Amino acid sequence: MLVTGGAGYIGSVTTDLLIGRGDRVVVIDDLSRGKMENVHDDAVFVQADIGDRGVVEAIVDEYDPDAVIHFAGYIAVGESVRNPGSYLDRNVARSTMFLDSLIRHDVSNVVFSSSAAVYGQPKMVPIDENEDKQPTSPYGWTKWAFEQILGFYEVAHGTRHVALRYFNAAGASERRVERHDPETHLIPNILESASGGKTVSVFGTDYPTPDGTAIRDYVHVVDLADAHLRAVDYLVDGGASIAMNLGSGVGFSVMEVIETVRRVTAREVPVEYADRRAGDPPELVADPSLARRVLDWEANQSDLENIVRSSWEIRPA
Ligand code: UFG
């Protein structure tokens, strides 16, 4: 198995599970965002750019992986608005060069990290996979573009893929916790506040939701990782290309998440109310029934208290 971005948050947890079930894993990561300490000791690690054809082709030639899980990419919506070029470069151009390296060595099963960001502002919630794709950020656009590129490569070269559209990845495994720099995500920011750090800003209190704050579908990183193993097996067994939502199917508002952190940690969480963050839709909740049917996948660790508790217990001192 070849895993790009295996030093990142979801990629490292997935690598742990793959190794736990006995797969041989090669991780490619340039460590521009990921951290070496996240890479499982038993994985073969290559520090490289996914667009470096020489390196990628040498790896594929040597290890002959039966599938690839492509996590490597930039993930921040706001950063993509400020610097679209780097998102096009990383998430589309270099990812396409990576695909070219794969097809030259007949690697034809690709699991791809896509995002609920492909939908933009959905017309209907819960969102199913047929919802219009109208991304509202360069980030979302790159994910939707690469899904389509995978389709072109299937027609031209027979590459099959599973695109997994993550909703809000959250929580920690026994070994790995979410840590981005800078951290923009809600749950890590609230936990930092509960540890005695800064005040949490609540972005927007006038959304058309019951308490006025935005609603998201938080899905535990271990459930996400588990879906990748199932997606690999599905492709290796000959499954057809498909895109699937990965979410819990349940939405929580920003204030409900803050209340859950207060309850689980028994700590104070000071909040300040701020304006809406540009580009944030009011409500994103998955209809995860396709993944349930096709992969027999259940988000059974994604209870919000469990997500918060898992991250709180492993937090750095
Ligand atoms: N929020 C706050 N305060 C904060 C951080 C976030 O109020 O300090 C709010 C946001 O405005 C949003 C919600 O909490 O309404 C969740 O925000 P996150 O930044 O945690 O996550 P997003 O929903 O913006 O984005 C995440 C991923 C994207 C992905 C998207 C898909 O970061 O890559 O989920 O649902 F596209």
Side-chain angles (χ1 to χ4, degrees):
M1 180 75 47
L2 178 59
V3 175
T4 73
Y9 171 47
I10 308 171
S12 62
V13 177
T14 304
T15 300
D16 291 348
L17 291 194
L18 287 165
I19 287 174
R21 77 173 188 179
D23 288 13
R24 189 162 76 143
V25 181
V26 182
V27 168
I28 306 182
D29 197 304
D30 67 0
L31 299 182
S32 61
R33 301 285 160 106
K35 295 193 177 58
M36 189 58 214
E37 71 208 39
N38 281 342
V39 180
H40 195 293
D41 288 342
D42 295 339
V44 175
F45 176 70
V46 181
Q47 182 171 358
D49 183 324
I50 53 167
D52 185 333
R53 289 198 188 171
V55 173
V56 174
E57 290 195 33
I59 291 169
V60 173
D61 201 31
E62 181 174 353
Y63 295 99
D64 193 22
D66 53 359
V68 165
I69 311 181
H70 179 36
F71 290 101
Y74 289 159
I75 63 157
V77 173
E79 181 186 51
S80 78
V81 174
R82 292 188 299 277
N83 190 0
S86 66
Y87 278 70
L88 293 169
D89 176 45
R90 177 66 50 132
N91 295 2
V92 181
R94 286 180 210 228
S95 290
T96 305
M97 290 186 234
F98 175 68
L99 271 188
D100 280 324
S101 305
L102 298 182
I103 57 160
R104 287 169 64 114
H105 293 264
D106 295 325
V107 180
S108 54
N109 299 320
V110 180
V111 177
F112 170 56
S113 297
S114 189
S115 170
V118 301
Y119 300 115
Q121 306 255 3
K123 290 197 300 289
M124 296 263 290
V125 178
I127 304 167
D128 74 30
E129 289 79 1
N130 297 320
E131 176 64 64
D132 291 348
K133 316 304 180 295
Q134 309 261 359
T136 49
S137 66
Y139 165 72
W141 187 90
T142 63
K143 291 292 176 183
W144 176 229
F146 197 68
E147 283 196 23
Q148 291 169 90
I149 290 167
L150 285 166
F152 304 149
Y153 274 65
E154 174 159 27
V155 173
H157 308 291
T159 323
R160 281 173 304 115
H161 67 272
V162 174
L164 297 173
R165 297 179 184 150
Y166 314 153
F167 281 64
N168 288 59
S173 71
E174 282 167 18
R175 306 162 64 126
R176 326 245 178 240
V177 67
E178 180 170 19
R179 207 177 304 154
H180 299 106
D181 188 18
E183 187 55 78
T184 59
H185 292 101
L186 179 65
I187 293 178
N189 282 349
I190 303 175
L191 289 174
E192 194 187 330
S193 169
S195 315
K198 56 179 189 183
T199 298
V200 177
S201 299
V202 175
F203 298 136
T205 52
D206 58 351
Y207 283 107
T209 60
D211 67 15
T213 63
I215 293 176
R216 293 289 181 275
D217 178 333
Y218 296 91
V219 55
H220 198 291
V221 65
V222 173
D223 285 333
L224 289 180
D226 170 56
H228 290 75
L229 274 59
R230 291 168 187 269
V232 165
D233 295 345
Y234 165 85
L235 285 175
V236 170
D237 289 347
S241 293
I242 192 167
M244 281 178 272
N245 289 337
L246 294 181
S248 71
V250 183
F252 291 94
S253 72
V254 171
M255 285 315 298
E256 285 173 323
V257 178
I258 290 171
E259 285 308 331
T260 304
V261 171
R262 286 177 173 146
R263 198 167 56 244
V264 168
T265 65
R267 299 282 186 97
E268 308 262 314
V269 177
V271 302
E272 66 185 9
Y273 299 102
D275 290 343
R276 293 182 182 198
R277 200 169 58 176
D280 277 352
E283 183 170 4
L284 290 176
V285 178
D287 173 349
S289 52
L290 186 63
R292 210 175 278 151
R293 259 195 332 273
V294 174
L295 301 180
D296 196 21
W297 176 76
E298 292 285 341
N300 49 27
Q301 309 222 27
S302 294
D303 171 76
L304 185 60
E305 286 211 7
N306 188 46
I307 286 174
V308 169
R309 191 173 299 110
S310 65
S311 308
W312 179 247
E313 283 170 356
I314 196 183
R315 75 194 187 283

